[in-house]
Amino acid sequence: MLVHDFPLDDQAEDDITWKHANDGIYSAATAYKALFLGLTLSPMDRMVWKAWAPPKVKFFAWLALQDRIWTADRLEKRGWVNCGLCPLCNREQETGPHLFFKCRYTLRLWRSIIEKLGLPHVNIPDWHLDESVKEWWVKRTDDRNPNWHAMSSLVMLTSWTIWNERNARVF
Ligand SMILES: [Zn+2]
């Protein structure tokens, strides 16, 4: 910053300079343009905050994406008693990836949704390649997907439904 030779005058009022306009003067139009400067979406924005879902579902999605919901594998690490098996299929160890995109039960639910909504680009056989909930979720909702906005809502709402069904069986 060039502040040399800048006369400080105790008598003068401070000026506020609006840096988003060339003439330094605030206007609604320049404020509107400034809004878009920050408009590159982070993955979390795209997957959760900019998509439609009720707030409690968004909060759940935000936790699930950070692997912070209490699936059996996490309970075990904390030494909490649990049977370890996925309550939906009773066959495999319950982990986030298993519950949300690998369980037979989950895949059956997704197949029926995809068929009902007519979403042929959603390719379930690829899902086993994904190793974390986040990886799977990002791939389903990034902007290579047609209607990523709607897909983000669908992934959140479907995962929420699965999580509730899982809890209904556990508790
Ligand atoms: Zn299962």
Side-chain angles (χ1 to χ4, degrees):
M1 291 276 276
L2 289 168
V3 289
H4 306 291
D5 309 321
F6 189 84
L8 283 174
D9 180 353
D10 289 340
Q11 306 301 314
E13 296 266 332
D14 283 338
D15 274 338
I16 294 172
T17 304
W18 177 245
K19 67 184 168 76
H20 296 298
N22 293 334
D23 56 7
I25 297 168
Y26 170 84
S27 71
T30 55
Y32 185 74
K33 275 187 202 149
L35 271 181
F36 290 95
L37 291 177
L39 213 68
T40 43
L41 293 181
S42 73
M44 199 62 102
D45 277 341
R46 190 182 293 284
M47 292 185 284
V48 180
W49 309 121
K50 296 288 178 190
W52 183 86
K56 65 180 175 185
V57 176
K58 290 189 176 197
F59 183 62
F60 150 80
W62 180 73
L63 290 175
L65 277 161
Q66 299 169 84
D67 202 18
R68 282 170 60 188
I69 58 168
W70 292 106
T71 44
D73 58 326
R74 287 194 70 221
L75 290 172
E76 216 149 82
K77 279 184 208 152
R78 292 280 177 111
W80 291 18
V81 179
N82 69 87
C83 77
L85 287 180
C86 165
L88 301 181
C89 65
N90 281 314
R91 280 172 177 235
E92 292 188 46
Q93 157 86 16
E94 184 192 56
T95 62
H98 174 81
L99 188 64
F100 292 116
F101 61 95
K102 293 189 179 181
C103 180
R104 293 146 23 107
Y105 174 96
T106 303
L107 294 180
R108 207 179 327 140
L109 176 64
W110 266 109
R111 260 183 233 111
S112 75
I113 290 171
I114 286 165
E115 197 177 313
K116 238 178 218 138
L117 298 180
L119 302 167
H121 61 282
V122 181
N123 193 16
I124 290 181
D126 289 349
W127 290 7
H128 72 279
L129 300 170
D130 300 332
E131 282 170 12
S132 70
V133 173
K134 189 167 184 187
E135 184 185 351
W136 170 77
W137 206 304
V138 168
K139 284 190 191 166
R140 309 290 82 80
T141 57
D142 71 18
D143 54 11
R144 283 169 300 181
N145 292 281
N147 303 319
W148 64 264
H149 211 257
M151 270 309 287
S152 297
S153 291
L154 187 64
V155 170
M156 272 197 280
L157 294 169
T158 304
S159 299
W160 172 249
T161 302
I162 288 161
W163 181 241
N164 280 298
E165 175 63 23
R166 176 262 185 207
N167 288 338
R169 296 187 189 200
V170 170
F171 301 113

